[in-house]
Amino acid sequence: MSASTPSWSDLLLGTEPRLRNRSLLTLLGSLVYVVWLLALVLFAMPQQRVSPELGRVFMVLMVPGILLFYPLVRSGRTQNFADPDLMSVQILWGCLIAVVAYATVPTGRAALLQTMGLALVFGFMSLSARTALQTGVILIAMLMAMLASSFVIPLPQFNPTAQTVKLLAASFIMGLITLQSLKFARLRERVLTERRELAAAQLALERVTRHDGLTGLLSRLYGQERLEREHQRAQLTGRTFGVVLMDLDHFKQINDRHGHQVGDEVLVAFAQAAREVLRDTDLIARWGGEEFLIILPDTHEASKVLQALERLQARLRTSVVSETVPALRVSFSAGYALWSAPEDVDVLLQRADRALYVAKNAGRDRCVQAD
């Protein structure tokens, strides 16, 4: 089968994992209704265990189970429901048919009660706590309503007094199943909540470890990791990349003269300007106090690096970098280098660092290409 032709399982169940599971369970439920229908038509009605009139009632009741639930779930229209599997509805609909059969078909009543109990156990593995409780209460209410109606409407071979004992016992057991399922559902919901909280905490931790807390740029540790990753990619593909090491000029004097709050404002403003000027694919990390590393993937010409740095210099000349000292302007010195095989990352950084040293010694506010 070609890659463009979906398989039968994809057509029947879908491709999204959760939808596949829901569709499979609902399809199996539909097949159970088909088996019931065949048993009714081929055995119960020909053997006159079920009258033709009652048989037609059962057929009508089975139609939703065969033709409604599976298409709804498979279409994905239920995915935003509180019960996307329609599990509670399916359980209650099947149990409604079983309750009608219990009242009208004398044979197999014990098996029908067992079937209803199994349906509760099966469904409660996936229902929420609230839905599990509602489902159990409604099922017990259906049994009690049938029992109450038997005192008013004569049912075939149905002794209300004897059935009261059986149905109360069955309702008690189903009540216990409901309570256990309620506890299980609450435990499952608590576990899911804890997992979500753990995932959120993990994301927050990654945010802290991967990003600088002040500027929001990549941290030095994560910047080094991304540089190593870019180096590996370049070795595999042969695509050149560039690196820039830069220092904000006279940053210590800014701190000494205006205070560390202004210094922090300058760092944040620089980071914002760099994000706006650089390409979306470029990466910038805070390498030290006022030192930064820029990684420029797929950069083959030194002139492209220089153009990016000149755009950043021009932006800073006109940008307000401190609300406290609006007249303050900041510049930077930078050394940049292009990677060439088989150069190591450390050697590449050393070349960029030497170029930065040359830029600072030459009077700052300039960009120098590494040898």
Side-chain angles (χ1 to χ4, degrees):
M1 185 176 294
S2 64
S4 60
T5 304
S7 65
W8 281 105
S9 64
D10 289 343
L11 291 173
L12 284 173
L13 307 178
T15 56
E16 198 274 323
R18 291 185 179 180
L19 178 61
R20 288 181 68 88
N21 291 334
R22 294 169 187 157
S23 300
L24 177 60
L25 290 176
T26 311
L27 182 59
L28 291 175
S30 298
L31 293 177
V32 171
Y33 281 108
V34 171
V35 172
W36 283 4
L37 181 62
L38 292 174
L40 177 67
V41 173
L42 300 178
F43 174 74
M45 293 175 67
Q47 295 291 327
Q48 297 183 350
R49 295 177 181 273
V50 176
S51 67
E53 295 79 9
L54 186 58
R56 285 191 287 273
V57 172
F58 282 127
M59 290 181 188
V60 172
L61 290 174
M62 290 179 189
V63 168
I66 298 173
L67 301 178
L68 180 61
F69 299 137
Y70 165 73
L72 279 176
V73 173
R74 173 62 183 86
S75 68
R77 295 181 179 179
T78 65
Q79 61 183 352
N80 294 324
F81 291 5
D83 179 17
D85 302 339
L86 298 181
M87 185 63 69
S88 177
V89 176
Q90 294 188 70
I91 291 173
L92 290 175
W93 192 258
C95 288
L96 174 63
I97 298 174
V99 168
V100 173
Y102 190 95
T104 57
V105 182
T107 57
R109 281 173 172 158
L112 288 170
L113 288 177
Q114 293 174 359
T115 300
M116 286 185 271
L118 288 174
L120 285 180
V121 172
F122 176 76
F124 285 165
M125 298 298 290
S126 60
L127 294 177
S128 66
R130 180 180 179 182
T131 307
L133 180 60
Q134 290 176 342
T135 304
V137 170
I138 293 173
L139 175 55
I140 294 173
M142 286 194 296
L143 290 174
M144 293 298 99
M146 178 195 64
L147 178 61
S149 66
S150 69
F151 288 94
V152 179
I153 304 171
L155 300 176
Q157 300 181 32
F158 194 99
N159 184 330
T161 304
Q163 290 294 333
T164 297
V165 177
K166 294 180 181 179
L167 292 176
L168 286 177
S171 297
F172 176 74
I173 293 174
M174 290 180 186
L176 291 179
I177 294 174
T178 301
L179 290 177
Q180 288 300 114
S181 300
L182 180 62
K183 293 179 181 178
F184 181 80
R186 286 175 174 170
L187 176 61
R188 186 176 63 249
E189 290 174 357
R190 186 163 61 249
V191 170
L192 290 175
T193 299
E194 291 175 353
R195 284 182 178 177
R196 286 193 292 267
E197 292 175 349
L198 181 60
Q202 185 175 359
L203 288 175
L205 180 61
E206 288 182 357
R207 173 74 183 174
V208 170
T209 57
R210 292 185 173 186
H211 293 82
D212 176 61
L214 176 63
T215 63
L217 301 177
L218 302 184
S219 66
R220 174 163 184 151
L221 182 63
Y222 191 53
Q224 180 74 42
E225 180 182 329
R226 293 300 300 267
L227 179 58
E228 295 284 353
R229 196 182 303 174
E230 182 62 29
H231 180 247
Q232 292 173 2
R233 189 177 76 93
Q235 288 179 313
L236 291 173
T237 63
R239 301 177 71 88
T240 304
F241 67 98
V243 297
V244 180
L245 283 175
M246 60 171 56
D247 263 354
L248 297 186
D249 295 331
H250 309 296
F251 185 75
K252 185 177 183 303
Q253 296 178 18
I254 294 174
N255 273 335
D256 293 342
R257 182 176 179 181
H258 302 289
H260 289 282
Q261 179 180 347
V262 173
D264 289 347
E265 291 179 356
V266 168
L267 292 172
V268 172
F270 171 80
Q272 181 63 31
R275 280 191 290 258
E276 293 174 356
V277 168
L278 296 174
R279 300 174 301 178
D280 292 338
T281 55
D282 296 335
L283 302 170
I284 179 168
R286 188 177 179 187
W287 207 240
E290 69 275 17
E291 187 176 8
F292 300 88
L293 168 74
I294 300 177
I295 306 169
L296 301 105
D298 297 326
T299 302
H300 309 284
E301 299 176 9
S303 60
K304 299 295 184 182
V305 183
L306 182 59
Q307 289 173 10
L309 295 176
E310 288 177 342
R311 288 197 304 270
L312 181 55
Q313 285 177 321
R315 172 66 65 88
L316 290 174
R317 291 190 186 103
T318 59
S319 296
V320 175
V321 294
S322 171
E323 295 295 334
T324 307
V325 188
L328 180 64
R329 294 295 180 268
V330 67
S331 62
F332 64 83
S333 303
Y336 59 96
L338 292 181
W339 174 82
S340 58
E343 188 174 33
D344 290 336
V345 168
D346 291 341
V347 175
L348 178 64
L349 288 175
Q350 288 172 7
R351 288 202 296 124
D353 190 54
R354 286 196 296 270
L356 170 61
Y357 182 78
V358 172
K360 293 163 81 172
N361 283 344
R364 303 179 185 272
D365 192 16
R366 65 196 63 218
C367 306
V368 174
Q369 181 180 355
D371 297 331

